[in-house]
Amino acid sequence: MKYLIANWKMNSLDISDWILKFENNCGEISSRETLQIVICPNFLQIPFFIEKSAFSKYLLTGSQDVSEKDPGPFTGQVSSKHLSNFSEIDYCIVGHSEQRMAGDTNAIVFQKIQKLINEKISPIVCVGESLETKESGDRENFLFKQLESFSNFENLKSNSIIIAYEPIWAIGTGISAEISSIRESIDFIKATLETKNIQSEILYGGSVNAANSKEILSEKNISGLLVGNASLDGEEFAKIAQNF
Ligand code: 13P
């Protein structure tokens, strides 16, 4: 299976207009059986997106995050049980570097993964190093610790999990990581998970756009893309979809 995930982050889009632009420009792209195209709007826009995309034969809905807690006195949070009230939500991003910077530790990310799996929502787990870590030559060690924090979870062997490798230094800069660097990290992630008997699809994210997506997708161990800025424009996102 291939995946194209849009992370709209804290942007409010004109959803009807976005869907129109996407549908008008995507032409004939792969069907849902081989390519899952998942849009992650902010929490408030999720119900509206579900309603407006109901006719689309391509678009699916995901969440940008979830609480690690069960429903209760946790101001401002949204639980996996709330997400599962929407049967249309099959995916949820966790461990995004922007959430890790806001306080999500590896332990919290693991709790979020567990909550999602309990609700049969597939986690899209973001991992990735800072520029400082990369330059200090500590990248593999850093990635290993992030992967190790959840990969001993027995239930992962029977549930689907998606890993998104997003080097922090490539996010939102307009300059994607070099292909050789992406390859090294993705191969390392794949090999590490295989030692735990976890078969995972691995995506790349970080300044992906229509122009660079084809080359990134040609890498054999890359199963898809997690796209921020370039996903805000329905036409550009449709062009990326055509490269699958
Ligand atoms: P950009 O595509 O804007 O670099 O964002 C990547 C990202 O953070 C997706 O989760």
Side-chain angles (χ1 to χ4, degrees):
M1 181 65 78
K2 301 276 180 190
Y3 297 90
L4 174 58
I5 319 280
N7 178 4
W8 284 356
K9 308 194 179 183
M10 200 172 68
N11 293 290
S12 292
L13 276 73
D14 179 334
I15 288 178
S16 302
D17 181 61
W18 188 96
I19 293 177
L20 204 65
K21 284 202 175 114
F22 177 81
E23 298 280 336
N24 285 345
N25 287 283
C26 68
E28 274 303 306
I29 51 178
S30 307
S31 74
R32 276 186 194 173
E33 280 63 51
T34 50
L35 172 64
Q36 299 258 292
I37 302 178
V38 184
I39 312 302
C40 303
N42 67 53
F43 286 128
L44 283 178
Q45 287 202 309
I46 283 179
F48 193 63
F49 183 82
I50 288 173
E51 185 193 324
K52 292 291 168 189
S53 63
F55 71 89
S56 170
K57 59 181 174 148
Y58 300 119
L59 300 173
L60 301 166
T61 311
S63 171
Q64 293 177 18
D65 197 21
V66 67
S67 173
E68 73 278 19
K69 305 275 202 307
D70 284 325
F74 303 104
T75 304
Q77 301 207 34
V78 173
S79 77
S80 57
K81 292 206 185 304
H82 291 116
L83 294 183
S84 72
N85 285 336
F86 294 93
S87 58
E88 295 85 353
I89 298 182
D90 292 321
Y91 296 95
C92 177
I93 298 169
V94 288
H96 193 282
S97 60
E98 286 152 14
Q99 280 304 121
R100 290 182 189 264
M101 270 184 258
D104 277 13
T105 58
N106 280 340
I108 291 175
V109 173
F110 178 40
Q111 287 172 330
K112 292 183 174 187
I113 293 170
Q114 288 172 294
K115 296 280 180 232
L116 291 170
I117 285 182
N118 286 344
E119 298 302 329
K120 308 255 177 298
I121 297 171
S122 296
I124 301 163
V125 186
C126 299
V127 297
E129 78 288 352
S130 65
L131 189 57
E132 200 184 7
T133 302
K134 179 177 178 263
E135 286 180 346
S136 68
D138 209 23
R139 176 170 63 177
E140 293 196 351
N141 198 18
F142 182 87
L143 289 175
F144 185 81
K145 283 198 188 123
Q146 287 191 325
L147 297 169
E148 179 89 290
S149 65
F150 61 84
S151 54
N152 288 326
F153 184 39
E154 270 303 308
N155 286 359
L156 283 187
K157 298 190 174 69
S158 50
N159 286 275
S160 67
I161 184 165
I162 300 164
I163 308 293
Y165 170 61
E166 295 208 308
I168 298 170
W169 44 275
I171 294 176
T173 59
I175 303 164
S176 149
E178 281 172 17
I179 274 290
S180 57
S181 173
I182 299 174
R183 183 185 308 130
E184 280 167 21
S185 294
I186 301 258
D187 289 354
F188 176 77
I189 292 167
K190 191 175 162 60
T192 303
L193 292 175
E194 275 173 5
T195 64
K196 311 271 182 192
N197 286 327
I198 296 174
Q199 300 299 329
S200 159
E201 308 279 9
I202 306 170
L203 320 182
Y204 169 77
S207 296
V208 171
N209 54 41
N212 63 20
S213 50
K214 200 171 189 128
E215 188 190 8
I216 298 171
L217 285 169
S218 68
E219 278 299 314
K220 85 170 175 349
N221 286 332
I222 293 186
S223 299
L225 302 167
L226 175 54
V227 188
N229 270 327
S231 74
L232 301 179
D233 176 344
E235 188 175 342
E236 171 97 1
F237 195 65
K239 287 185 187 147
I240 298 176
Q242 284 176 337
N243 285 333
F244 276 78

